Amino acid sequence: MRPLSTSFDPADPGAPARRAAHEKLLGEVRSALAEAGTSRSAKALARHREQGKMTASERLDRLLDPGSPFLEIGGLAARGMYDGGVHKAGSFAGVGVIEGHTCVVQANDAMVKGGTIYPMGVKKALRLQAIAIENRLPFVSLVDSGGAFLPLQSEVFPDLDDGGRIFYNQARMSKLGIPQLCGVMGLCTAGAAYIPAMSDEVVQVRGTGAIFLAGPPLVRAATGEDVTPEDLGGAAMHTSVSGVSDMLAENDADAIDYLRRRVACLPQGGVAPSRSARAPLHDPDQLYDIVPTEPHQPYDIREVIGRIVDASEFEEFKPDYGPTLITGWAYIHGYLVGILGNNGPLFSECALKATHFIQLCDKRGIPLVFLQNVPGFVVGKAFERGGITKHGQQMVAAVSTCTVPKFTVIVGGSFGAGNYAMCGRAYSPRFLWMWPNAQISVMGGEQAARVLIDVQNAQRARSGLGPIGPEEEQAILVPILEHTRSEGNALHATANLWDDGIIEPHRTRDVLGLSIAAALHAPLRDGPEGFGVFRT
């Protein structure tokens, strides 16, 4: 492969302003992450210490191999929701390394609402299970939860994607042979009791770990029986009488050390890189000088590719056809991947090129990386007559039905059907990350406002009235622009778990490398090979 050249001039007078805009967004993300990780009440921490417990973050630090990489999932989930205090949707979680094994890990944070499960907590748990299932990764749970948050039980309990789905998934994971290990570090109440019950191996902490379908107050109310938590569901009872738990631990550290020993005994998975990793020739830190924070400002996506792939080498596919979509092959941390990146809107030629390229990668077993900065498919009479809808269908079908792992990074705008064609969340990328400058919506705010203005003018014309005036236009335009900015930015998206997290642009290469390595623990093809009907 040949290295990409760069047209970036360090003396570019626009570079400082672009860097400053990125640094402002990065500062907001870093501040939000710091708050989500550390904003806990002194009372909750004191209560934890009185019980001899580690915090959720301390438990993860002990569980994971020292100095190993960690891909946090949903670090800002539920940000700004409920009363603003359900940090990380109630758990520290992600993909990490335990005794050399890549695992999905989740630790309930009992200092956040007593570890009770909010609706976004359910969504986060289901996302973590999806990662484990798709990538065949062991799942390690550190449970310290009071069960469902009862005032919101209608949003937690009854539906297809509510709390019961967690246990359904546990059964499916067991059938697939995905190891599930559980440490019961605190309360494991009501539905949460099924997490250890459906795990392969369970260690429970004496004195603080308690598993029961109904706690002492509910037992008393339902049966009149007066019983202590330890007698009802303590570690000694469950390890010697009921058999729900397998090992009794004296404290959190003892339980975590046991879990590490058990993970060490699991069979090793994964696929080694096909060649040695090589750092990019072009400095990834220059991304802040090159990439505008506003998606409507153009730049060459090759400048991004050259700063995230090994040796900045890129073998481009069909470079002169459909030039607003860049396709080609490269290595990321030694793993061969196919890359699709946007240089503008998607034309028919782009869709056809993408369909061809995706088919080639799928047949050859090459994972796909999508770099989204897409305003959508091009529109207009000539393009409709040329079959843009049909050609877009082919690209969407190829993305939907290819069998190799897919990874998406939203590096700019992600609008309309462009989000779908470039493997948005609905198209099951193994991991989806956003840059702080990412924006996502059905269409840009100004376009949405212009559509509404046109609709109102058409209604007025049918009534014999003239078009609305400039002041009325502004009254429509300004609120829509503000709404689009507030609900289309990266912080709002990540709070709703539309992504797996916001990443810093200069770390994109490492995040993708870890994501690819995690995904290659699963069989390359999961399901029948082949594609559906591509309408011609």
Side-chain angles (χ1 to χ4, degrees):
M1 294 183 183
R2 293 175 294 182
L4 287 165
S5 61
T6 178
S7 61
F8 172 62
D9 179 2
D12 177 359
R18 290 191 288 268
R19 177 173 286 271
H22 278 290
E23 288 176 348
K24 181 177 184 294
L25 293 170
L26 279 170
E28 292 173 358
V29 172
R30 289 168 178 166
S31 176
L33 283 168
E35 180 185 11
T38 61
S39 180
R40 308 291 185 274
S41 73
K43 181 179 179 181
L45 179 59
R47 172 67 174 157
H48 237 57
R49 297 305 188 209
E50 287 171 9
Q51 294 177 299
K53 292 182 180 181
M54 295 179 173
T55 66
S57 60
E58 289 169 344
R59 289 166 178 168
L60 272 194
D61 286 344
R62 190 177 183 98
L63 179 68
L64 299 172
D65 291 354
S68 64
F70 180 64
L71 285 177
E72 183 172 18
I73 303 296
L76 293 175
R79 176 180 179 270
M81 298 181 186
Y82 314 117
D83 62 358
V86 187
H87 302 296
K88 298 182 182 291
S91 69
F92 286 75
V95 180
V97 181
I98 304 171
E99 292 289 344
H101 295 255
T102 301
C103 302
V104 177
V105 296
Q106 182 174 26
N108 296 120
D109 189 349
M111 290 197 296
V112 173
K113 312 297 184 182
T116 52
I117 309 300
Y118 281 69
M120 287 303 297
V122 172
K123 186 173 182 178
K124 182 171 178 176
L126 294 176
R127 174 60 189 147
L128 292 165
Q129 289 182 319
I131 291 171
I133 291 169
E134 289 172 345
N135 303 300
R136 299 299 194 271
L137 298 176
F139 199 112
V140 181
S141 302
L142 305 181
V143 183
D144 192 347
S145 171
F149 182 67
L150 293 179
L152 296 178
Q153 62 177 319
S154 64
E155 300 175 48
V156 173
F157 170 68
D159 210 346
L160 174 68
D161 55 354
D162 284 343
R165 195 72 175 184
I166 295 171
F167 317 124
Y168 171 88
N169 284 344
Q170 282 192 267
R172 290 177 59 227
M173 289 161 70
S174 183
K175 181 179 178 180
L176 290 168
I178 297 171
Q180 298 173 75
L181 292 86
C182 180
V184 179
M185 331 290 283
L187 289 178
C188 205
T189 306
Y194 286 108
I195 295 175
M198 301 189 75
S199 295
D200 299 344
E201 300 182 51
V202 180
V203 57
Q204 187 173 348
V205 178
R206 188 198 299 272
T208 55
I211 304 170
F212 30 61
L213 293 179
L218 184 54
V219 168
R220 190 177 306 113
T223 69
E225 184 180 9
D226 209 351
V227 63
T228 67
E230 194 66 19
D231 287 340
L232 183 62
M237 190 281 291
H238 276 311
T239 54
S240 64
V241 179
S242 74
V244 169
S245 299
D246 307 307
M247 178 64 69
L248 186 151
E250 294 300 328
N251 50 46
D252 285 3
D254 188 23
I256 291 168
D257 290 347
Y258 172 80
L259 290 171
R260 285 181 54 82
R261 293 195 303 271
R262 298 309 304 140
V263 171
C265 296
L266 297 176
Q268 188 60 270
V271 175
S274 55
R275 75 174 196 182
S276 298
R278 297 163 62 188
L281 294 179
H282 308 308
D283 185 0
D285 186 66
Q286 292 175 339
L287 289 169
Y288 302 110
D289 300 310
I290 296 168
V291 178
T293 55
E294 292 297 329
H296 64 272
Q297 297 177 0
Y299 68 94
D300 191 345
I301 195 67
R302 294 179 188 87
E303 298 286 359
V304 175
I305 295 171
R307 287 164 176 80
I308 66 173
V309 302
D310 291 5
S312 299
E313 293 176 347
F314 183 62
E315 187 65 27
E316 193 162 346
F317 176 71
K318 288 184 179 288
D320 300 322
Y321 184 75
T324 57
L325 180 71
I326 305 304
T327 56
W329 294 276
Y331 287 86
I332 296 179
H333 276 283
Y335 293 102
L336 179 63
V337 297
I339 297 177
L340 300 92
N342 300 115
N343 256 356
L346 294 169
F347 292 79
S348 283
E349 294 85 355
C350 303
L352 293 170
K353 176 166 78 170
T355 301
H356 186 178
F357 181 70
I358 291 168
Q359 286 180 300
L360 287 177
C361 290
D362 196 59
K363 292 296 183 185
R364 297 171 184 174
I366 300 172
L368 292 163
V369 173
F370 295 81
L371 302 176
Q372 280 199 20
N373 183 26
V374 57
F377 282 92
V378 69
V379 296
K381 179 180 176 180
F383 302 111
E384 292 294 353
R385 290 169 71 88
I388 185 67
T389 301
K390 175 177 61 179
H391 298 139
Q393 171 268 330
Q394 293 178 348
M395 182 177 177
V396 169
V399 172
S400 303
T401 56
C402 70
T403 57
V404 293
K406 299 168 291 192
F407 309 88
T408 300
V409 184
I410 302 179
V411 301
S414 177
F415 299 113
N419 169 275
Y420 303 158
M422 289 295 292
C423 200
R425 186 63 129 181
Y427 290 78
S428 295
R430 296 294 181 89
F431 294 92
L432 188 151
W433 309 100
M434 281 188 173
W435 283 4
N437 58 297
Q439 297 179 30
I440 181 169
S441 60
V442 172
M443 65 178 71
E446 187 163 350
Q447 291 89 338
R450 293 298 171 192
V451 169
L452 288 178
I453 289 168
D454 287 347
V455 169
Q456 287 203 20
N457 280 334
Q459 291 172 343
R460 289 170 68 90
R462 287 194 295 271
S463 301
L465 302 173
I468 61 178
E471 291 186 4
E472 291 174 286
E473 283 196 6
Q474 285 300 306
I476 295 172
L477 181 63
V478 171
I480 291 178
L481 287 174
E482 292 177 352
H483 181 75
T484 301
R485 290 192 189 102
S486 66
E487 291 203 347
N489 64 57
L491 285 171
H492 181 83
T494 204
N496 284 277
L497 285 170
W498 297 348
D499 62 9
D500 292 313
I502 300 175
I503 63 174
E504 301 189 3
H506 71 284
R507 298 185 178 181
T508 303
R509 165 182 158 76
D510 291 338
V511 170
L512 282 173
L514 292 168
S515 302
I516 295 163
L520 293 181
H521 283 69
L524 189 60
R525 301 195 186 281
D526 187 13
E529 182 181 354
F531 293 90
V533 174
F534 291 126
R535 290 171 52 83
T536 57

